[in-house]
């Protein structure tokens, strides 16, 4: 106190001003730190919500591909997948900055990786089957059918052509509805068709040619059926079933992550207050 009293008023005022300035700077530092923390927390919430949107976009293009078999949907899916992985990296950085447990991020990376792997398997299987009627196994089957029909048209045997049309109907019913009951009908009708060829008044050479073509047609159809079963006869079987399980797990985890992150942030903000 004696020291302060010996100081001039001007000096005391300068000291007081200095103390106030230091206090203001400290307060400003605290405020800036709080603003920085709030910005990080808000970015974290926004990023987790963006993950949810990107997941929906990926599912949309996945379903578009399965419905229309267009490769443009795969390009769109790849774009959204790239954005998803970049957002995950960003979220991992934000979690690290605010001190959140990154175990959830590692779990998310794993789930997204599994989902993309399952979808890539579905894509390859569908490409094996065909993306349009003239492609891959679809195209092989179409060619085999036309070869049988061409011989029958040359012989003007309309009864056998009618039998062939019934086979085509069974084939198309299976591909449209993916119901195995049409496979049994196909097998019954192709056996009947073979017998009709054998009993027909066609020349032996034409009979042999038709029967050989019919064997090839049946083999092509069986190959397509086997590939389709591997892909899946519904969204709950085969590779499609595995994709559905993976996608649903992804959806649920991301929604859970959004809620958990928001709850953690709310808790952090409450502790600050």
């Amino acid at each position: 106190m004696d020291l302060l009293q010996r100081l001039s008023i001007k000096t005391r005022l300068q000291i007081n001003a200095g103390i106030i300035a230091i206090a203001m700077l400290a307060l400003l530092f605290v405020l800036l730190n709080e603003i920085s923390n709030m910005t990080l927390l808000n970015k974290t919430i926004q990023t987790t919500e963006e993950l949810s949107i990107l997941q929906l976009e990926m599912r949309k293009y996945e379903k578009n591909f399965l419905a229309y078999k267009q490769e443009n949907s795969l390009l769109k899916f790849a774009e959204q997948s790239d954005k998803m992985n970049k957002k995950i990296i960003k979220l991992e950085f934000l979690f690290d900055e605010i001190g959140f447990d990154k175990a959830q991020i590692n779990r998310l990376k794993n789930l997204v990786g599994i989902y993309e792997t399952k979808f890539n398997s579905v894509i390859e299987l569908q490409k094996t089957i065909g993306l349009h009627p003239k492609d891959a196994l679809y195209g092989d089957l179409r060619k085999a059918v036309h070869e049988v029909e061409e011989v029958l048209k040359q012989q003007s045997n309309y009864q056998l052509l009618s039998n062939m049309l019934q086979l085509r109907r069974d084939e198309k019913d299976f591909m449209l509805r993916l119901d195995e009951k049409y496979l049994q009908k196909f097998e019954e009708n192709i056996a009947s068709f073979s017998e009709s060829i054998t009993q027909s008044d066609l020349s032996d050479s034409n009979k042999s040619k038709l029967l050989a073509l019919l064997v090839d047609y049946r083999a092509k159809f069986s190959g397509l059926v086997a590939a389709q079963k591997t892909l899946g006869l519904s969204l709950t079987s085969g590779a499609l079933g595995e994709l559905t399980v993976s996608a649903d797990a992804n959806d649920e985890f991301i929604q859970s992550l959004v809620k958990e992150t928001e709850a953690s942030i709310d808790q952090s903000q409450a502790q600050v207050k």
Side-chain angles (χ1 to χ4, degrees), residues 220-236:
K220 294 292 193 301
F221 182 60
S222 296
L224 188 147
V225 169
Q228 186 63 59
K229 285 182 177 180
T230 301
L231 175 60
L233 298 181
S234 70
L235 292 177
T236 58

Side-chain angles (χ1 to χ4, degrees), residues 103-116:
Q104 294 290 69
I105 302 297
N106 294 330
R107 172 67 174 153
L108 177 60
K109 286 180 182 178
N110 185 53
L111 286 172
V112 171
I114 291 172
Y115 169 56
E116 291 175 346

Side-chain angles (χ1 to χ4, degrees), residues 62-268:
E62 167 212 318
K63 293 180 185 299
N64 284 351
F65 173 74
L66 294 177
Y68 305 112
K69 316 295 188 295
Q70 294 177 346
E71 293 196 80
N72 183 56
S73 296
L74 300 182
L75 295 176
K76 295 292 186 182
F77 180 92
E79 289 175 7
Q80 300 306 312
S81 175
D82 183 58
K83 290 179 181 178
M84 169 71 86
N85 287 304
K86 287 178 179 177
K87 287 292 180 187
I88 293 173
I89 292 171
K90 180 180 178 180
L91 187 61
E92 184 174 26
F93 169 78
L94 290 169
F95 267 41
D96 193 47
E97 285 291 297
I98 59 182
F100 281 6
D101 185 2
K102 292 193 293 184
Q104 294 290 69
I105 302 297
N106 294 330
R107 172 67 174 153
L108 177 60
K109 286 180 182 178
N110 185 53
L111 286 172
V112 171
I114 291 172
Y115 169 56
E116 291 175 346
T117 299
K118 297 296 184 185
F119 186 48
N120 285 332
S121 295
V122 166
I123 292 168
E124 291 308 311
L125 284 167
Q126 186 60 64
K127 285 182 175 180
T128 297
I129 293 170
L131 299 181
H132 54 79
K134 295 181 180 180
D135 186 36
L137 292 179
Y138 283 150
D140 292 343
L141 181 63
R142 180 188 178 94
K143 181 181 177 182
V145 166
H146 287 172
E147 287 177 346
V148 175
E149 291 177 336
E150 186 61 30
V151 173
L152 292 175
K153 286 176 183 178
Q154 289 173 359
Q155 301 302 313
S156 299
N157 193 315
Y158 299 106
Q159 179 58 51
L160 292 179
L161 270 172
S162 176
N163 292 342
M164 187 65 198
L165 288 174
Q166 181 58 55
L167 276 180
R168 295 301 309 278
R169 188 175 298 115
D170 295 336
E171 166 204 318
K172 291 182 182 298
D173 280 341
F174 170 76
M175 289 192 287
L176 180 64
R177 298 177 176 84
L178 300 179
D179 190 330
E180 291 190 86
K181 72 179 182 181
Y182 296 108
L183 301 181
Q184 181 62 34
K185 288 184 178 181
F186 179 89
E187 290 298 330
E188 291 171 357
N189 286 324
I190 202 168
S192 175
F193 188 25
S194 296
E195 183 63 25
S196 295
I197 292 172
T198 302
Q199 299 298 324
S200 71
D201 56 3
L202 296 175
S203 66
D204 289 344
S205 62
N206 280 325
K207 287 180 182 179
S208 297
K209 184 177 183 179
L210 273 173
L211 289 172
L213 289 173
L214 202 60
V215 167
D216 183 56
Y217 168 53
R218 181 178 180 276
K220 294 292 193 301
F221 182 60
S222 296
L224 188 147
V225 169
Q228 186 63 59
K229 285 182 177 180
T230 301
L231 175 60
L233 298 181
S234 70
L235 292 177
T236 58
S237 68
L240 287 173
E242 293 180 11
L243 176 63
T244 299
V245 170
S246 176
D248 288 347
N250 234 14
D251 292 343
E252 291 173 10
F253 184 81
I254 289 175
Q255 292 304 316
S256 173
L257 181 62
V258 170
K259 292 178 181 177
E260 288 178 11
T261 302
E262 289 176 346
S264 296
I265 288 173
D266 287 343
Q267 185 178 2
S268 298

Side-chain angles (χ1 to χ4, degrees), residues 31-50:
L31 288 173
L32 290 174
N33 189 55
E34 285 301 313
I35 291 171
S36 177
N37 287 337
M38 287 298 296
T39 301
L40 280 173
L41 294 175
N42 288 332
K43 281 184 179 179
T44 303
I45 292 176
Q46 181 182 346
T47 303
T48 54
E49 290 173 345
E50 287 171 349

